[in-house]
Amino acid sequence: MSDAPDPPPLRPRIAITYCTQCQWLLRAAWMAQELLSTFRDDLGEVALRPGTGGVFVIEVEGEVIWERVRDGGFPDVKALKQRVRDRLDPGRDLGHVDRAGREG
């Protein structure tokens, strides 16, 4: 019998692959910061992975949730947070992010 504490539960990993040739590091870092701020207790990490050739892909646990070419550009922060939420905790209310644009 061990007195060692149980390891903390594994939390999801998000990876943002961005094109270094296109200089999209700041965009990727800003999106990482937004995700870490919103999902601070739910994420294990957000990794920034340099790439080339116009790549901009966001993955949650290896599942692509946004791909620049496939999805027609870059996600706005609202769409990104909603896609991450839908993958991690579909019942979660994102507050003003969910309510913005629902007037009338």
Side-chain angles (χ1 to χ4, degrees):
M1 180 173 203
S2 172
D3 290 332
D6 290 334
L10 293 177
R11 294 180 290 170
R13 177 182 196 266
I14 294 179
I16 302 174
T17 304
Y18 64 94
C19 180
T20 57
Q21 296 166 314
C22 303
Q23 299 186 19
W24 289 336
L25 171 60
L26 288 178
R27 181 186 306 262
W30 171 70
M31 289 184 182
Q33 177 267 316
E34 287 289 327
L35 293 174
L36 287 166
S37 294
T38 299
F39 301 100
R40 66 184 172 270
D41 298 325
D42 302 315
L43 294 176
E45 71 176 301
V46 177
L48 299 177
R49 295 192 308 209
T52 58
V55 66
F56 197 89
V57 176
I58 301 170
E59 301 169 74
V60 177
E61 292 294 306
E63 177 187 333
V64 174
I65 63 165
W66 193 276
E67 199 279 318
R68 185 185 64 82
V69 174
R70 180 192 75 189
D71 295 310
F74 298 98
D76 63 22
V77 75
K78 175 182 174 180
L80 177 58
K81 288 178 181 183
Q82 288 172 334
R83 288 192 185 194
V84 169
R85 181 269 319 269
D86 291 349
R87 178 68 166 74
L88 299 181
D89 185 5
R92 180 179 177 168
D93 179 14
L94 290 175
H96 71 280
V97 171
D98 280 336
R99 287 185 285 284
R102 288 190 184 173
E103 306 292 321

